Amino acid sequence: MSCDDHTIQNDSASVEATFGSTIKDNAVVKGFVTIIKNEGKKDEQVLCKNKPNLLTNDGRDYAIAQFYTNTSAGGVGENFIALTSDSSGADATDSTLPSEITTNGLERALATTISHSTGTNSTTLNKIFTASGTHTAVQMSGTFNQLAVGGTIGHEAVFTSVTLASSDTLSVTWTLTLG
Amino acid sequence: MSLDKTFKDFVNDFSCDTLDEWITHLATVELTYTGNSACVTCGDSVEFNWTGKLKNGLTYPQVLCEVCKSQ
């Protein structure tokens, strides 16, 4: 089936089936990831556009704890963005981002943009990383609830592998929906 | 309309499954956006509470800090 066949369908059930392989067990929380190298520059490269992400099992548990089971003050949102060159792929059972990058500008960071539109179920996180050294085969991103390595991983998404030289930028945008 | 798709606008009774459709929708309705972002000019962090139609092709507003706005 071609891409055109998908885009002309209005049957939402078919769309769900298309996304099912990556977010099948966490259908209430969905999201899309867009990652662009050197956005706005002559050598801009879109590594993935509006790609469905994966909500990890830990992320689902964390959300449930915030909503239903915590009996003390709530936790920090899953608004820290991390990157890795690990090629094992996104996995709902991950409790860390494997081989998370911790140096040269691509270390975990608080999203620069955190935006929610009132009356909708949509939230956007964005961070533009600037490499301060060479990074080879960067290909997966995740969200966490703290700045330091560790914490609870919320989402993961794989994108086209990319190598960054010093001063290259990587714009990571998570558009997340809840409910 | 039942709001049974991925993106939901409860204010305007609209839902859709793709981000492109959602961005198109955000350009047609006034919504209130709250959060933090970097000033598009100087990069300083700005807290915003902005209401309007989002016509920048994004899902969040691009903001200016007070200093840059006054220049």
Side-chain angles (χ1 to χ4, degrees), chain A residues 5 37 44 59 66 71 76 81 87 95 102 105-106 112 122 125 134 142 150 165-166 171 173 176:
Chain A
D5 290 330
K37 176 184 175 183
E44 177 178 293
Q66 299 303 303
T71 56
V76 175
I81 298 174
S87 61
S95 58
T102 59
L106 298 196
T112 306
S122 174
L125 309 176
T134 300
S166 183
S171 174
T173 304
L176 303 158

Side-chain angles (χ1 to χ4, degrees), chain A residues 12 15-16 30 32 49-50 112-122 124 126 175 177 179, chain B residues 5-11 17 19-20 22 31-38 48 59-61:
Chain A
S12 61
V15 174
E16 294 296 331
K30 296 181 181 179
F32 299 85
K49 187 172 190 300
N50 305 341
T112 306
T113 296
I114 302 171
S115 176
H116 170 64
S117 42
T118 305
T120 76
N121 69 340
S122 174
T124 301
N126 171 263
T175 305
T177 63
Chain B
K5 297 182 179 176
T6 301
F7 291 95
K8 299 179 176 71
D9 174 357
F10 301 99
V11 177
D17 272 323
L19 190 51
D20 287 339
W22 183 242
L31 290 169
T32 297
Y33 300 82
T34 57
N36 303 286
S37 193
F48 61 82
T59 55
Y60 56 90

Side-chain angles (χ1 to χ4, degrees), chain B residues 22-33:
Chain B
W22 183 242
I23 288 171
T24 300
H25 174 69
L26 297 182
T28 63
V29 297
E30 281 199 356
L31 290 169
T32 297
Y33 300 82

Side-chain angles (χ1 to χ4, degrees), chain B residues 44-62:
Chain B
D44 281 357
S45 181
V46 180
E47 281 191 23
F48 61 82
N49 186 322
W50 179 84
T51 300
K53 297 177 181 179
L54 205 54
K55 294 182 180 291
N56 59 2
L58 302 173
T59 55
Y60 56 90
Q62 292 175 302

